[in-house]
Every structure is written in C-alpha cells, then in structure tokens.
Amino acid sequence: MPLQLAVSTPEGMVAEHLLFEGQPYHIGRAETADIVIDHPQVSRRHAILSNNDDKQWALNDTSSTGCFCDGERVTLLPIGDEQSISIGPVACRLKPISNLDVEKVESQQIWRKLQLRRYRSQLNESDDSISLIQVARECMLQSLGCERAALILLDEQTGFQQGLGYEPWMDAEGFSGSRTVIKNVIKTRTPLALGNLKADQRYALQASVIQNNILAALCVPILVENQVVGVLYGDNTIGRQYFTETDVSFAVSMANFLSLRLLFHSIDHKISLLHRS
C-alpha cells in the first residue's frame, strides 16, 4: 500500500510526497536524502521509511534529535493508520493510501493541467478587467479550494485598498483579508503561502487573523514590465489550514497568464490613445 507523506515547510506550505513499497526512503537534511527537510535540527540522515512486507509501513529513527508521536520519542513506529509525527521539530503527516487513491491523486494532477489550459483560454478571450477578475476568482475558488478569493489590481495613488477585484468582504473600510500578507508580497515580489496562521508568531497577533479567524492564506504577485500591478489573494477561515507547494505552483502559473494578459491590455490601451491623437 502506498504512503502519502506531508511535510510542513518553513514558508508555511505543505510539501507532499507519494511513496511506494519495495524500497526504503531516507529522510533528512542531506541533499542526497530521498526526502530533503532543510532544517538545522533535522539530521542529515534523520529517519527511514520502509515497507518490506507490502502490508505495513514503519518509521525508523536514526537521528540524534529524534522523531516524536503524541509528544513521545519513538525509535520504531509502525504506521497502520494516518499518523501525525514530528521529525525533529518539523510537523509531518503520514497516511497509507490505496492504489485507487493514488489514481485519484494522478487524476487530480491531470485535471489541474486541463484547468490551467481552460483558464488560459478564458483569459485570452477576456477584453476587460472585470472578466479577468471573474476568471481569476474562479481559479482560486474552484481549483485551489480557497473559501475567499480575489484578483486585486493596485491603484498607484491610493494603494491596494481601492484596487479592483474586491468582493464585499474586501471592502476598503471593512477589509477582512490579511493586509499584512498582501503588503509583504508587494514588498518582496514573491509568492507567500501560509498555513496555521494562529500558530505563526509573525501573524498570530495581527488583528485580521484574530478577528476574522484566518487559518491559511495564499498570495501571489502579478508583475507587468517588472512592476507589481496586483496580487492574487485567497484565504480560508473554516476549512483546511494549509496550501501545498502544488497549490502555489498552480497559482503562480495563473498569475503569469494574468501578467501577460494585462500587458496586452496595456499595449492595446496605449495604441488606442495614439490613434486618437
């Protein structure tokens, strides 16, 4: 039976790995490890996951800093059902899955590729900002499972509070998303995916996180001619508390499509102004 391993990353994302029977998997900080966890408190060769009898997986601790389950250090842990463990200080989830579930994972990957193609086609057909916003929101809500989502186009004079793309929950005065997350993305010009925000010291005390119960947030910058012109923003306040690396890659691809489309809009606008003059 295959095993699904989800590893929390320092960026707040979850890296997912699918393991199959018949070979041991080395987990550790070393670049040669089968599953690399880049954390100073994770040993170079920290643990081994193996399934020799094709029935049950087991975790063997080979480290100095330990593996833990329910707060207790374990040296050999049989994995019959879903388990939450810590490899050193890094939170992980282990879940045996059926071959049918593997097929579902593979089908989802294929489905996402098809979704990207469909969204790209829809963006190419969009001839105004409103239609771009609708396509972007559909992508975030349906494909990434965000509970709230918007494409926010920035206003150079007034900032993102007056940008396009807001739903009622993103009204400037009653904005209930995370301004801090959006501002950080605009400043760093890099995607940001955060999970379990209430346990993240950088965000746990932010008013928006506390008052609006934001559990996870995903924000990706949209750049046109090397300038941030907007962001794709989504968050969850009820459901799952993380976004995966695959989710982020999907959102970045969508942002790249949007960047190209907005660039074309800008060029078309400049050409129309020249024709009028």
Side-chain angles (χ1 to χ4, degrees):
M1 179 175 287
L3 183 72
Q4 192 172 52
L5 169 63
V7 182
S8 301
T9 70
E11 296 80 16
M13 292 179 283
V14 171
E16 294 182 318
H17 305 272
L18 192 57
L19 314 183
F20 294 91
E21 310 94 312
Q23 72 170 79
Y25 290 86
H26 294 270
I27 304 171
R29 197 177 72 252
E31 293 182 0
T32 55
D34 298 302
I35 300 164
V36 178
I37 301 179
D38 188 14
H39 191 287
Q41 291 178 262
V42 171
S43 301
R44 290 178 58 80
R45 293 276 185 168
H46 199 104
I48 300 173
L49 278 167
S50 59
N51 183 335
N52 296 322
D53 60 6
D54 292 336
K55 292 183 179 179
Q56 189 174 60
W57 287 84
L59 175 77
N60 290 276
D61 178 19
T62 58
S63 71
S64 58
T65 52
C67 296
F68 301 85
C69 181
D70 295 329
E72 299 290 332
R73 181 164 183 170
V74 293
T75 55
L76 178 62
L77 178 67
I79 305 164
D81 298 310
E82 183 172 355
Q83 298 264 16
S84 294
I85 66 168
S86 294
I87 295 178
V90 179
C92 303
R93 189 182 72 253
L94 299 163
K95 182 181 180 182
I97 62 175
S98 67
N99 289 319
L100 179 60
D101 288 331
V102 172
E103 292 178 8
K104 289 180 180 178
V105 171
E106 293 175 345
S107 296
Q108 185 182 44
Q109 293 172 346
I110 295 172
W111 175 77
R112 281 196 165 181
K113 289 180 181 179
L114 294 174
Q115 287 289 85
L116 267 180
R117 291 178 188 173
R118 181 171 70 85
Y119 289 133
R120 184 172 187 174
S121 176
Q122 289 179 348
L123 288 174
N124 287 335
E125 296 172 1
S126 300
D127 54 8
D128 56 51
S129 297
I130 299 302
S131 57
L132 285 177
I133 290 165
Q134 291 173 341
V135 174
R137 286 194 68 251
E138 180 185 338
C139 167
M140 299 287 282
L141 293 170
Q142 294 189 9
S143 297
L144 298 182
C146 296
E147 294 164 11
R148 310 189 302 177
L151 162 61
I152 305 170
L153 299 179
L154 307 185
D155 184 316
E156 293 182 358
Q157 295 180 346
T158 58
F160 74 86
Q161 290 87 349
Q162 299 298 322
L164 297 174
Y166 284 98
E167 295 301 300
W169 62 270
M170 302 188 85
D171 175 72
E173 294 183 1
F175 182 70
S176 59
S178 175
R179 287 188 175 91
T180 304
V181 169
I182 295 174
K183 288 178 179 177
N184 283 348
V185 167
I186 293 172
K187 180 180 179 180
T188 62
R189 302 156 65 92
T190 57
L192 189 59
L194 298 164
N196 197 14
L197 279 171
K198 291 187 175 181
D200 190 323
Q201 295 181 354
R202 298 167 298 175
Y203 298 93
L205 299 180
Q206 295 293 330
S208 59
V209 173
I210 297 172
Q211 295 173 5
N212 304 302
N213 195 44
I214 298 176
L215 303 175
L218 171 62
C219 191
V220 179
I222 299 170
L223 288 85
V224 174
E225 297 182 326
N226 208 32
Q227 296 293 323
V228 179
V229 300
V231 297
L232 274 176
Y233 175 87
D235 64 24
N236 291 334
T237 61
I238 300 174
R240 66 171 182 162
Q241 300 185 27
Y242 66 90
F243 289 101
T244 67
E245 291 179 335
T246 304
D247 293 334
V248 176
S249 296
F250 189 94
V252 168
S253 296
M254 188 65 186
N256 290 338
F257 295 158
L258 285 166
S259 297
L260 288 173
R261 196 60 194 158
L262 289 169
L263 177 60
F264 291 148
H265 281 193
S266 175
I267 293 173
D268 288 342
H269 179 65
K270 290 176 182 178
I271 291 174
S272 66
L273 290 177
L274 287 173
H275 287 165
R276 292 175 189 173
S277 60

